[in-house]
Structures are given as C-alpha cells and as structure tokens.
Amino acid sequence: MARAMELAREAAKAGEVPVGAVVVDPETGEIVGEGYNRPVGTHDPSAHAEIIAIRAAAQKLGNYRLTGLDLHVTLEPCAMCAGAISFARIGRLVFAAADIKGGAVMSGPRFFEQPTCHWRPEWRQDALHEAEAADLLRDFFRTRRG
C-alpha cells in the first residue's frame, strides 16, 4: 500500500484525484502493475488507478486473467473498477479509504454481493493507511474548492 500512496500523491501533483493502485504477486511481493488516476490528463473517463494498474499487469503477464494476484488501492473502488476487478479475476482486493459516495464494494451497490457478479475477490479495508488516504483526498478537494 505504501507504493499505492506514493502513486496517489503523484496523481495529486498532476491535478488528478489522488488515487493510486498496485497489482502485486502475493507469493513474491513483486508489483506487476501500477497506476494512478489519469482521466483528466488522458481525456479518458475509464483511466482510474485500478484500471491502469490492471491493464499494466495484464500486459506484463500476457494474460487478462490475474487470478491469485492482489490489488492494493488507496480508495474503495467504484462500480466500473469493481467490474474490472471481477473480470480480471483478482484474488484479493485491499483498499485504504472508504468512498461513501462513489464506492461499490462496502458502500453503494456492493458490487461483489450482486448475483450478476461472476467472480468475487476476497477484500478488506486497510485500517493502517485509511487515515492517510482519506486525508490526502480531503486536502486535495479542500484546495480545489478553496
């Protein structure tokens, strides 16, 4: 999660909502894909941190199925990203800050609990990084509204 937090700070410096994500092989600890939010800079509404990290991992591994890998992200995934996580067959999802308004894992639609969801990763919230991630987001939006 430390690398995901670094990536979230990079996103903030680029004027993007500060969210970072890494796909990790839990057996080796190797990061096989990473990304941060880039929808503004890329003019791509799907360029969320999770999507970018999943795409990078799939390209590196030569497989669109990332079964057994972990995804660490600084913010609870939205419905679009939860769908991508399911289609990629991510084994475990760990996120830091909850997203009451836009989240779709433990908030909102609870995507992985829906009968139409065909793959459900294990998931948990990372309490150790929750405050840091939430503070980064709050500070970012406070300066935007400023």
PDB file of all heavy atoms in Angstrom, residues 76-98:
ATOM      1  N   GLU A  76     -11.650   3.016  -1.971  1.00  0.00           N
ATOM      2  CA  GLU A  76     -12.625   1.974  -2.320  1.00  0.00           C
ATOM      3  C   GLU A  76     -13.027   2.103  -3.789  1.00  0.00           C
ATOM      4  O   GLU A  76     -13.409   3.179  -4.239  1.00  0.00           O
ATOM      5  CB  GLU A  76     -13.862   2.127  -1.438  1.00  0.00           C
ATOM      6  CG  GLU A  76     -14.972   1.156  -1.731  1.00  0.00           C
ATOM      7  CD  GLU A  76     -16.214   1.391  -0.876  1.00  0.00           C
ATOM      8  OE1 GLU A  76     -16.191   2.276   0.011  1.00  0.00           O
ATOM      9  OE2 GLU A  76     -17.213   0.681  -1.100  1.00  0.00           O
ATOM     10  N   PRO A  77     -12.935   1.024  -4.560  1.00  0.00           N
ATOM     11  CA  PRO A  77     -13.260   1.087  -5.992  1.00  0.00           C
ATOM     12  C   PRO A  77     -14.717   1.444  -6.279  1.00  0.00           C
ATOM     13  O   PRO A  77     -15.623   1.065  -5.539  1.00  0.00           O
ATOM     14  CB  PRO A  77     -12.943  -0.328  -6.484  1.00  0.00           C
ATOM     15  CG  PRO A  77     -11.918  -0.828  -5.527  1.00  0.00           C
ATOM     16  CD  PRO A  77     -12.338  -0.259  -4.189  1.00  0.00           C
ATOM     17  N   CYS A  78     -14.904   2.141  -7.395  1.00  0.00           N
ATOM     18  CA  CYS A  78     -16.235   2.468  -7.894  1.00  0.00           C
ATOM     19  C   CYS A  78     -16.812   1.226  -8.601  1.00  0.00           C
ATOM     20  O   CYS A  78     -16.139   0.202  -8.733  1.00  0.00           O
ATOM     21  CB  CYS A  78     -16.160   3.650  -8.865  1.00  0.00           C
ATOM     22  SG  CYS A  78     -15.319   3.262 -10.426  1.00  0.00           S
ATOM     23  N   ALA A  79     -18.031   1.346  -9.098  1.00  0.00           N
ATOM     24  CA  ALA A  79     -18.676   0.215  -9.775  1.00  0.00           C
ATOM     25  C   ALA A  79     -17.912  -0.213 -11.031  1.00  0.00           C
ATOM     26  O   ALA A  79     -17.759  -1.408 -11.297  1.00  0.00           O
ATOM     27  CB  ALA A  79     -20.121   0.567 -10.119  1.00  0.00           C
ATOM     28  N   MET A  80     -17.414   0.761 -11.808  1.00  0.00           N
ATOM     29  CA  MET A  80     -16.658   0.419 -13.012  1.00  0.00           C
ATOM     30  C   MET A  80     -15.417  -0.393 -12.649  1.00  0.00           C
ATOM     31  O   MET A  80     -15.123  -1.420 -13.283  1.00  0.00           O
ATOM     32  CB  MET A  80     -16.243   1.690 -13.765  1.00  0.00           C
ATOM     33  CG  MET A  80     -15.347   1.436 -14.960  1.00  0.00           C
ATOM     34  SD  MET A  80     -14.802   2.934 -15.800  1.00  0.00           S
ATOM     35  CE  MET A  80     -13.690   3.639 -14.584  1.00  0.00           C
ATOM     36  N   CYS A  81     -14.697   0.064 -11.649  1.00  0.00           N
ATOM     37  CA  CYS A  81     -13.469  -0.628 -11.259  1.00  0.00           C
ATOM     38  C   CYS A  81     -13.762  -1.971 -10.600  1.00  0.00           C
ATOM     39  O   CYS A  81     -13.024  -2.935 -10.817  1.00  0.00           O
ATOM     40  CB  CYS A  81     -12.627   0.270 -10.354  1.00  0.00           C
ATOM     41  SG  CYS A  81     -11.983   1.713 -11.239  1.00  0.00           S
ATOM     42  N   ALA A  82     -14.842  -2.042  -9.833  1.00  0.00           N
ATOM     43  CA  ALA A  82     -15.229  -3.329  -9.248  1.00  0.00           C
ATOM     44  C   ALA A  82     -15.528  -4.334 -10.353  1.00  0.00           C
ATOM     45  O   ALA A  82     -15.141  -5.503 -10.261  1.00  0.00           O
ATOM     46  CB  ALA A  82     -16.428  -3.157  -8.325  1.00  0.00           C
ATOM     47  N   GLY A  83     -16.180  -3.886 -11.415  1.00  0.00           N
ATOM     48  CA  GLY A  83     -16.436  -4.761 -12.552  1.00  0.00           C
ATOM     49  C   GLY A  83     -15.144  -5.242 -13.187  1.00  0.00           C
ATOM     50  O   GLY A  83     -14.995  -6.424 -13.504  1.00  0.00           O
ATOM     51  N   ALA A  84     -14.202  -4.338 -13.374  1.00  0.00           N
ATOM     52  CA  ALA A  84     -12.906  -4.723 -13.957  1.00  0.00           C
ATOM     53  C   ALA A  84     -12.161  -5.699 -13.050  1.00  0.00           C
ATOM     54  O   ALA A  84     -11.541  -6.653 -13.525  1.00  0.00           O
ATOM     55  CB  ALA A  84     -12.054  -3.480 -14.215  1.00  0.00           C
ATOM     56  N   ILE A  85     -12.235  -5.481 -11.757  1.00  0.00           N
ATOM     57  CA  ILE A  85     -11.596  -6.381 -10.792  1.00  0.00           C
ATOM     58  C   ILE A  85     -12.198  -7.781 -10.918  1.00  0.00           C
ATOM     59  O   ILE A  85     -11.480  -8.785 -10.927  1.00  0.00           O
ATOM     60  CB  ILE A  85     -11.750  -5.825  -9.357  1.00  0.00           C
ATOM     61  CG1 ILE A  85     -10.882  -4.575  -9.190  1.00  0.00           C
ATOM     62  CG2 ILE A  85     -11.422  -6.887  -8.307  1.00  0.00           C
ATOM     63  CD1 ILE A  85     -11.238  -3.723  -7.977  1.00  0.00           C
ATOM     64  N   SER A  86     -13.503  -7.838 -11.041  1.00  0.00           N
ATOM     65  CA  SER A  86     -14.187  -9.120 -11.193  1.00  0.00           C
ATOM     66  C   SER A  86     -13.792  -9.797 -12.504  1.00  0.00           C
ATOM     67  O   SER A  86     -13.437 -10.983 -12.516  1.00  0.00           O
ATOM     68  CB  SER A  86     -15.701  -8.905 -11.140  1.00  0.00           C
ATOM     69  OG  SER A  86     -16.391 -10.119 -11.342  1.00  0.00           O
ATOM     70  N   PHE A  87     -13.832  -9.066 -13.618  1.00  0.00           N
ATOM     71  CA  PHE A  87     -13.479  -9.650 -14.917  1.00  0.00           C
ATOM     72  C   PHE A  87     -12.020 -10.083 -14.974  1.00  0.00           C
ATOM     73  O   PHE A  87     -11.685 -11.059 -15.652  1.00  0.00           O
ATOM     74  CB  PHE A  87     -13.783  -8.679 -16.056  1.00  0.00           C
ATOM     75  CG  PHE A  87     -15.251  -8.587 -16.374  1.00  0.00           C
ATOM     76  CD1 PHE A  87     -15.912  -7.388 -16.241  1.00  0.00           C
ATOM     77  CD2 PHE A  87     -15.964  -9.700 -16.796  1.00  0.00           C
ATOM     78  CE1 PHE A  87     -17.278  -7.293 -16.531  1.00  0.00           C
ATOM     79  CE2 PHE A  87     -17.315  -9.623 -17.082  1.00  0.00           C
ATOM     80  CZ  PHE A  87     -17.973  -8.411 -16.947  1.00  0.00           C
ATOM     81  N   ALA A  88     -11.138  -9.381 -14.254  1.00  0.00           N
ATOM     82  CA  ALA A  88      -9.714  -9.741 -14.232  1.00  0.00           C
ATOM     83  C   ALA A  88      -9.443 -10.917 -13.298  1.00  0.00           C
ATOM     84  O   ALA A  88      -8.344 -11.468 -13.307  1.00  0.00           O
ATOM     85  CB  ALA A  88      -8.869  -8.538 -13.812  1.00  0.00           C
ATOM     86  N   ARG A  89     -10.423 -11.285 -12.497  1.00  0.00           N
ATOM     87  CA  ARG A  89     -10.284 -12.399 -11.552  1.00  0.00           C
ATOM     88  C   ARG A  89      -9.214 -12.134 -10.488  1.00  0.00           C
ATOM     89  O   ARG A  89      -8.486 -13.039 -10.077  1.00  0.00           O
ATOM     90  CB  ARG A  89      -9.980 -13.715 -12.266  1.00  0.00           C
ATOM     91  CG  ARG A  89     -10.930 -14.126 -13.366  1.00  0.00           C
ATOM     92  CD  ARG A  89     -12.303 -14.489 -12.812  1.00  0.00           C
ATOM     93  NE  ARG A  89     -13.104 -15.252 -13.752  1.00  0.00           N
ATOM     94  CZ  ARG A  89     -14.005 -14.717 -14.578  1.00  0.00           C
ATOM     95  NH1 ARG A  89     -14.183 -13.425 -14.624  1.00  0.00           N
ATOM     96  NH2 ARG A  89     -14.731 -15.502 -15.361  1.00  0.00           N
ATOM     97  N   ILE A  90      -9.123 -10.872 -10.051  1.00  0.00           N
ATOM     98  CA  ILE A  90      -8.208 -10.519  -8.959  1.00  0.00           C
ATOM     99  C   ILE A  90      -8.552 -11.390  -7.757  1.00  0.00           C
ATOM    100  O   ILE A  90      -9.719 -11.561  -7.414  1.00  0.00           O
ATOM    101  CB  ILE A  90      -8.351  -9.012  -8.608  1.00  0.00           C
ATOM    102  CG1 ILE A  90      -7.860  -8.133  -9.757  1.00  0.00           C
ATOM    103  CG2 ILE A  90      -7.666  -8.674  -7.296  1.00  0.00           C
ATOM    104  CD1 ILE A  90      -6.361  -8.117  -9.968  1.00  0.00           C
ATOM    105  N   GLY A  91      -7.530 -11.909  -7.106  1.00  0.00           N
ATOM    106  CA  GLY A  91      -7.761 -12.796  -5.968  1.00  0.00           C
ATOM    107  C   GLY A  91      -8.130 -12.081  -4.682  1.00  0.00           C
ATOM    108  O   GLY A  91      -8.988 -12.523  -3.935  1.00  0.00           O
ATOM    109  N   ARG A  92      -7.445 -10.938  -4.433  1.00  0.00           N
ATOM    110  CA  ARG A  92      -7.717 -10.209  -3.195  1.00  0.00           C
ATOM    111  C   ARG A  92      -7.594  -8.714  -3.447  1.00  0.00           C
ATOM    112  O   ARG A  92      -6.668  -8.263  -4.113  1.00  0.00           O
ATOM    113  CB  ARG A  92      -6.746 -10.615  -2.097  1.00  0.00           C
ATOM    114  CG  ARG A  92      -7.052  -9.950  -0.752  1.00  0.00           C
ATOM    115  CD  ARG A  92      -6.213 -10.488   0.362  1.00  0.00           C
ATOM    116  NE  ARG A  92      -4.807 -10.279   0.055  1.00  0.00           N
ATOM    117  CZ  ARG A  92      -3.852 -10.230   0.954  1.00  0.00           C
ATOM    118  NH1 ARG A  92      -4.130 -10.426   2.224  1.00  0.00           N
ATOM    119  NH2 ARG A  92      -2.599 -10.022   0.609  1.00  0.00           N
ATOM    120  N   LEU A  93      -8.548  -7.970  -2.918  1.00  0.00           N
ATOM    121  CA  LEU A  93      -8.583  -6.525  -3.010  1.00  0.00           C
ATOM    122  C   LEU A  93      -8.364  -5.944  -1.620  1.00  0.00           C
ATOM    123  O   LEU A  93      -9.003  -6.381  -0.658  1.00  0.00           O
ATOM    124  CB  LEU A  93      -9.950  -6.076  -3.546  1.00  0.00           C
ATOM    125  CG  LEU A  93     -10.304  -4.599  -3.398  1.00  0.00           C
ATOM    126  CD1 LEU A  93      -9.404  -3.730  -4.271  1.00  0.00           C
ATOM    127  CD2 LEU A  93     -11.776  -4.376  -3.735  1.00  0.00           C
ATOM    128  N   VAL A  94      -7.461  -4.981  -1.526  1.00  0.00           N
ATOM    129  CA  VAL A  94      -7.238  -4.260  -0.284  1.00  0.00           C
ATOM    130  C   VAL A  94      -7.341  -2.778  -0.610  1.00  0.00           C
ATOM    131  O   VAL A  94      -6.660  -2.303  -1.519  1.00  0.00           O
ATOM    132  CB  VAL A  94      -5.842  -4.563   0.313  1.00  0.00           C
ATOM    133  CG1 VAL A  94      -5.636  -3.805   1.613  1.00  0.00           C
ATOM    134  CG2 VAL A  94      -5.658  -6.062   0.528  1.00  0.00           C
ATOM    135  N   PHE A  95      -8.207  -2.050   0.092  1.00  0.00           N
ATOM    136  CA  PHE A  95      -8.308  -0.606  -0.141  1.00  0.00           C
ATOM    137  C   PHE A  95      -8.214   0.129   1.185  1.00  0.00           C
ATOM    138  O   PHE A  95      -8.556  -0.403   2.235  1.00  0.00           O
ATOM    139  CB  PHE A  95      -9.580  -0.236  -0.903  1.00  0.00           C
ATOM    140  CG  PHE A  95     -10.870  -0.591  -0.223  1.00  0.00           C
ATOM    141  CD1 PHE A  95     -11.467   0.272   0.686  1.00  0.00           C
ATOM    142  CD2 PHE A  95     -11.493  -1.800  -0.491  1.00  0.00           C
ATOM    143  CE1 PHE A  95     -12.659  -0.064   1.310  1.00  0.00           C
ATOM    144  CE2 PHE A  95     -12.685  -2.153   0.122  1.00  0.00           C
ATOM    145  CZ  PHE A  95     -13.269  -1.269   1.031  1.00  0.00           C
ATOM    146  N   ALA A  96      -7.727   1.366   1.112  1.00  0.00           N
ATOM    147  CA  ALA A  96      -7.493   2.154   2.322  1.00  0.00           C
ATOM    148  C   ALA A  96      -8.752   2.919   2.738  1.00  0.00           C
ATOM    149  O   ALA A  96      -9.439   2.524   3.673  1.00  0.00           O
ATOM    150  CB  ALA A  96      -6.307   3.086   2.124  1.00  0.00           C
ATOM    151  N   ALA A  97      -9.068   3.994   2.056  1.00  0.00           N
ATOM    152  CA  ALA A  97     -10.203   4.836   2.446  1.00  0.00           C
ATOM    153  C   ALA A  97     -11.507   4.331   1.840  1.00  0.00           C
ATOM    154  O   ALA A  97     -11.540   3.922   0.682  1.00  0.00           O
ATOM    155  CB  ALA A  97      -9.956   6.281   1.998  1.00  0.00           C
ATOM    156  N   ALA A  98     -12.560   4.382   2.635  1.00  0.00           N
ATOM    157  CA  ALA A  98     -13.897   4.080   2.122  1.00  0.00           C
ATOM    158  C   ALA A  98     -14.359   5.257   1.269  1.00  0.00           C
ATOM    159  O   ALA A  98     -13.907   6.389   1.449  1.00  0.00           O
ATOM    160  CB  ALA A  98     -14.868   3.863   3.277  1.00  0.00           C
TER     161      ALA A  98
END
